[in-house]
């Protein structure tokens, strides 16, 4: 199957094309001071490292001295992971790039292991960036990764924000995280490594059926036969990300307009009930979510959840109970994410909920 731009899905990236993808991040005129390249040794990240080295050798890029550090996180979860990290170090040296191995030490959880490993990986990468004076971390997520992410979140019941997938750029603990290859099929990066002679390894966990992402990965070819290709899933993510940004902006403006003086002191927030009830439900839902986050941040209480409420519960309480109460003039009190939401007398008030009484021991 050919791509809309005419390129075959397994055509290697040329030097000019890869440099164009990387230029906003590490090219001439970039606003960043330095970058950490996250390289596991797989084909995607190996291509990122190799293409970055090639780009820096371009005539237009030479003499800049933009600081790049390649980082490999050794999670210590598989035999041979240390040798794989050493292999990345060897290729980095061959390409003229600095390299660091970051070890994930300490006890490993038995449940949600991949999530814990991901969190540890980003924490270690951010720590290295700060240590080296870099303000950017680049990963090699691909079009295929985006499609898998959208499918995983669809299976989890995510709304538009979740189905918008991975953003090309986001913040990471005060730094920037960039994904320059998010529009590139994985097969093209594999072909790039093969053409350039860059050795890579394949992580067996990527095909391990114990993990949900690996199971969904096996479904993608079947879905593509029905027309649901990785490109279309990625296009869906982009459209939803665009729409979600517009709705979020509208919700932020509405929150500012609807806030009223709160008499409950610090950690309380009050919204105009009639104005909230008159908003489109998609915007009203986000306004309440933003208000919950604002109160959580102001209260800083252990009882308040550090995470946003799940969409299903937010919908059930806001759309099913709070908004109908505001429209009818009835009173309604519900708890959500460690907060008390009280609707009545034309207002919706947010305040920290009282801790539940512990049963006697």
């Amino acid at each position: 199957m050919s791509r809309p731009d005419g390129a075959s899905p397994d055509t290697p990236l040329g030097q000019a094309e890869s440099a164009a993808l990387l230029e906003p991040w590490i090219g001439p005129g970039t606003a960043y001071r330095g970058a950490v390249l996250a390289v596991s040794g797989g084909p995607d990240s190996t291509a990122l490292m190799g293409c970055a080295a090639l780009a820096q050798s371009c005539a237009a890029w030479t003499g800049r001295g933009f600081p790049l550090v390649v980082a490999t996180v050794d999670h210590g979860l598989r035999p041979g992971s240390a040798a794989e990290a050493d292999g990345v170090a060897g290729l980095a040296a061959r390409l003229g790039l600095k390299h660091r191995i970051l070890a994930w030490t300490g006890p490993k959880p038995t449940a949600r292991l991949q999530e814990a490993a991901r969190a540890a990986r980003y924490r270690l990468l951010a720590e290295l960036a700060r240590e080296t004076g870099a303000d950017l971390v680049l990963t090699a997520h691909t079009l295929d990764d985006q499609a898998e992410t959208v499918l995983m979140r669809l299976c989890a019941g995510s709304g538009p924000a979740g189905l918008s997938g991975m953003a090309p750029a986001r913040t990471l603990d005060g730094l920037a995280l960039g994904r320059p290859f998010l529009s590139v099929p994985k097969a093209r990066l594999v072909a790039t490594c093969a053409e350039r002679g860059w050795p890579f390894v394949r992580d067996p966990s990527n095909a391990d059926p114990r993990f949900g992402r690996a199971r969904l990965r096996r479904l993608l070819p079947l879905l593509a036969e029905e027309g649901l290709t990785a490109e279309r899933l990625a296009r869906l993510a982009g459209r939803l990300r665009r729409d979600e940004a517009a709705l979020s902006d509208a919700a932020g403006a509405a929150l500012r307009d609807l806030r009223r003086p709160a008499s409950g002191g610090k950690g309380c927030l009050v919204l105009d009930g009639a104005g909230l009830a008159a908003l489109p439900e998609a915007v009203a839902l986000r306004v309440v979510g933003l208000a919950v986050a604002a109160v959580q941040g102001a209260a800083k209480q252990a009882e308040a959840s550090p995470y946003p409420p799940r969409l299903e519960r937010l919908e059930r309480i806001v759309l099913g109970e709070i908004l109908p109460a505001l429209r009818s003039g009835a009173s309604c009190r519900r708890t959500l994410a460690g907060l008390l939401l009280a609707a009545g007398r034309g207002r919706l008030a947010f305040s920290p909920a009282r801790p539940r009484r512990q049963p006697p021991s």
Side-chain angles (χ1 to χ4, degrees):
M1 182 179 66
S2 63
R3 289 172 51 78
D5 58 10
S8 170
D10 56 359
T11 299
L13 289 177
Q15 185 171 358
E17 183 181 5
S18 61
L21 291 168
L22 291 166
E23 185 171 4
W25 306 102
I26 62 174
T30 181
Y32 299 106
R33 299 189 305 267
V36 170
L37 308 182
V39 181
S40 65
D44 308 346
S45 58
T46 297
L48 173 66
M49 173 173 63
C51 289
L54 285 177
Q56 288 205 315
S57 68
C58 291
W61 290 33
T62 54
R64 295 178 57 249
F66 185 81
L68 288 181
V69 178
V70 177
T72 303
V73 177
D74 180 5
H75 296 92
L77 299 176
R78 295 183 290 104
S81 62
E84 292 171 3
D86 288 338
V88 177
L91 179 57
R94 198 176 98 197
L95 293 169
L97 298 175
K98 297 178 180 178
H99 182 268
R100 290 277 295 275
I101 296 176
L102 310 175
W104 182 27
T105 58
K108 309 297 190 296
T110 56
R112 304 172 77 102
L113 179 60
Q114 285 199 323
E115 291 181 25
R118 177 180 178 276
R121 178 165 62 252
Y122 281 128
R123 173 179 56 80
L124 291 168
L125 291 169
E127 289 174 356
L128 177 63
R130 283 190 290 270
E131 176 190 329
T132 58
D135 52 357
L136 171 66
V137 174
L138 291 184
T139 67
H141 290 104
T142 67
L143 184 79
D144 303 67
D145 295 319
Q146 182 74 296
E148 293 164 10
T149 297
V150 173
L151 281 178
M152 287 185 69
R153 294 180 180 177
L154 181 63
C155 291
S158 297
L163 296 179
S164 63
M166 294 181 286
R170 70 171 179 85
T171 58
L172 173 65
D173 196 14
L175 309 170
L177 173 69
R179 300 180 172 110
F181 290 166
L182 199 56
S183 62
V184 180
K186 180 185 183 74
R188 296 198 66 195
L189 300 183
V190 174
T192 301
C193 290
E195 182 182 66
R196 295 285 181 177
W198 298 330
F200 60 84
V201 297
R202 294 190 183 273
D203 185 347
S205 68
N206 289 335
D208 192 331
R210 292 179 301 169
F211 302 119
R213 186 176 286 270
R215 294 192 298 272
L216 287 174
R217 189 171 290 131
R218 293 187 300 180
L219 289 177
L220 277 172
L222 299 176
L223 295 174
E225 291 179 6
E226 301 299 326
L228 190 57
T229 61
E231 287 85 357
R232 283 181 172 166
L233 284 166
R235 194 177 305 129
L236 171 65
R239 288 168 175 162
L240 286 171
R241 189 161 51 251
R242 178 188 62 206
D243 293 349
E244 182 63 22
L247 286 168
S248 295
D249 287 346
L255 177 63
R256 292 189 294 272
D257 291 341
L258 295 175
R259 286 190 74 156
R260 298 294 181 264
S263 58
K266 186 177 180 181
C268 296
L269 186 150
V270 173
L271 298 180
D272 176 74
L276 180 66
L279 291 173
E281 288 187 343
V283 178
L285 201 63
R286 286 162 175 79
V287 169
V288 174
L290 290 174
V292 167
V295 176
Q296 287 177 342
K300 296 183 179 179
Q301 291 193 1
E303 293 84 6
S305 168
Y307 302 105
R310 291 186 62 84
L311 179 60
E312 292 88 347
R313 181 162 173 77
L314 188 66
E315 289 173 329
R316 186 167 62 251
I317 290 177
V318 176
L319 303 185
E321 301 181 62
I322 297 291
L323 291 183
L326 291 172
R327 290 169 184 147
S328 67
S331 297
C332 178
R333 293 166 66 90
R334 293 291 181 267
T335 57
L336 179 67
L339 303 180
L340 174 65
L341 277 60
R345 293 183 294 181
R347 308 185 332 154
L348 177 61
F350 300 74
S351 59
R354 293 180 180 178
R356 293 181 178 180
R357 291 183 179 180
Q358 298 295 328
S361 56

